[in-house]
Amino acid sequence: MTAAGNSDREEAFEPDPERVDRLRTIADEVRGETSESKQLANILYRTSDLYDADEETTPEEIVRNVKLILEVKERGGLER
């Protein structure tokens, strides 16, 4: 990837408090009693961190976290 490509990618995730609020509001709305709705809400919260000035994360870290969320679900939860 070129330096210009990196610059474009970094600009795409500039702090955006409105986007953070919007994503977290949606996460709160979809969170329900089912594990699937809780998973989706967690993924939306993690995605909102990209735009939160107080969070330091990358898309790659979020993808790893989402994979972990899905793997935990597949194994039946945190308790073994």
Side-chain angles (χ1 to χ4, degrees):
M1 184 176 278
T2 66
N6 287 334
S7 175
D8 291 341
R9 191 165 131 203
E10 290 172 10
E11 290 175 16
F13 301 111
E14 292 284 326
D16 186 342
E18 288 180 27
R19 186 171 286 180
V20 171
D21 289 342
R22 208 169 334 135
L23 285 166
R24 292 180 181 174
T25 297
I26 293 168
D28 290 339
E29 290 174 1
V30 300
R31 184 179 305 277
E33 296 302 316
T34 67
S35 60
E36 291 82 3
S37 66
K38 291 175 184 175
Q39 281 181 306
L40 180 56
N42 290 338
I43 292 167
L44 288 168
Y45 265 97
R46 285 296 291 143
T47 302
S48 74
D49 289 346
L50 282 173
Y51 304 99
D52 188 336
D54 296 330
E55 295 288 337
E56 292 184 23
T57 191
T58 65
E60 292 81 9
E61 290 172 326
I62 291 173
V63 167
R64 281 194 302 270
N65 189 251
V66 168
K67 285 181 181 179
L68 178 61
I69 291 169
L70 296 174
E71 288 171 4
V72 167
K73 166 66 174 149
E74 189 174 295
R75 288 194 313 253
L78 292 174
E79 296 90 25
R80 292 182 188 201

